[in-house]
């Protein structure tokens, strides 16, 4: 079975990875900042569902086949990149078009385009979960990370799936705790962030970050 020392080393690696600002951080902060707490937790659970899937698939050796197959990896990379650019554009373009005299109405239309036009949809847990899991599973870099890192912490003779799931569980715990901090921070500032001017800046930043991740993924960076 895995030693406490190995478990601690893996926890340190994924802890640093979790604290590094990235796509997940942008998604969670924006969703929570708009006051959609259940939707934000849906995003968190979706991301962690994807993390668990990558961990199990890596333990089974399936993701190693993905990274070994240049064609499969390229296809997943381009699909993921297209999805991120599309998602970032859906947030960014309405924010760029929004005019000062119509900020209120534009904010509503932007919410509608983002699946958050009504209280039921905007705070929808399932909608958030779908966004989180799709975003995570279409990121081949997550698969590459698990292929490169996970096998190093699975001792010889240990059950691969059980140990891999345990390690992925450590990652999920760290990521969930950090997500709780992000959601609490965003909710503390939600009154300010939901003002039309602040909302416009938030959407521009978030949309740009997400689209930029897509472009970087397409370029293979």
């Amino acid at each position: 079975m895995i030693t406490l020392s190995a478990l601690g080393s893996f926890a340190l690696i994924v802890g640093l990875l979790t604290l590094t600002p990235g796509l997940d951080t942008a998604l969670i902060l924006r969703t929570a900042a708009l006051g959609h707490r259940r939707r934000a937790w849906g995003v968190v659970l979706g991301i962690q569902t994807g993390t668990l899937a990558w961990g199990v698939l890596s333990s089974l050796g399936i993701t190693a086949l993905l990274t070994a197959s240049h064609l499969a990896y390229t296809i997943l990379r381009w699909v993921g990149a297209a999805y991120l650019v599309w998602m970032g554009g859906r947030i960014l373009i309405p924010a760029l078009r929004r005019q000062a005299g119509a900020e209120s109405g534009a904010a509503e239309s932007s919410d509608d385009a983002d699946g958050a036009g009504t209280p039921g949809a905007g705070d929808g847990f399932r909608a958030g979960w779908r966004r989180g899991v799709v975003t995570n599973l279409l990121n081949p870099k997550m698969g590459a990370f698990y292929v490169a890192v996970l096998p190093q912490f699975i001792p010889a003779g240990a059950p691969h799936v059980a140990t891999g799931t345990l390690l992925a569980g450590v990652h999920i715990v760290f990521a969930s705790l950090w997500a709780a901090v992000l959601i609490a921070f965003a909710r503390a500032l939600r009154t300010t962030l939901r003002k039309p001017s602040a909302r416009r800046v938030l959407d521009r930043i978030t949309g740009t970050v997400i689209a930029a991740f897509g472009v970087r993924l397409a370029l293979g960076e």
Side-chain angles (χ1 to χ4, degrees), residues 28 48 71 74 114 120 131 134 172 179 182 194 198 200 207 220:
I28 294 169
Q48 303 320 318
L71 177 61
T74 300
D114 198 32
R131 170 159 290 186
V134 170
I172 289 170
L182 293 176
R194 295 191 72 180
R200 185 170 61 250

Side-chain angles (χ1 to χ4, degrees), residues 65-116:
L65 297 177
L66 172 66
T67 54
S69 170
H70 179 72
L71 177 61
Y73 184 85
T74 300
I75 290 174
L76 181 60
R77 179 165 61 86
W78 278 102
V79 171
Y83 174 74
L84 292 179
V85 171
W86 171 80
M87 182 167 61
R90 288 191 66 184
I91 298 172
L92 179 60
I93 292 173
L96 293 175
R97 290 177 175 173
R98 208 170 294 158
Q99 297 179 356
E103 285 179 338
S104 177
E108 290 181 6
S109 63
S110 178
D111 272 350
D112 288 336
D114 198 32

Side-chain angles (χ1 to χ4, degrees), residues 124-149:
F125 183 89
R126 285 184 297 176
W129 181 87
R130 285 195 301 270
R131 170 159 290 186
V133 72
V134 170
T135 301
N136 189 287
L137 291 179
L138 287 181
N139 185 1
K141 292 188 176 181
M142 276 295 294
F145 169 80
Y146 268 88
V147 168
V149 174

Side-chain angles (χ1 to χ4, degrees), residues 23 30 42-43 57 61-62 84 113 132 148 154 167 175-176 194 199 206 214 219:
L23 176 62
R30 178 180 182 270
V43 170
L57 292 174
I62 295 176
L84 292 179
I154 299 180
L167 292 171
S176 298
R194 295 191 72 180
R199 167 68 187 275
T206 306
L219 296 176

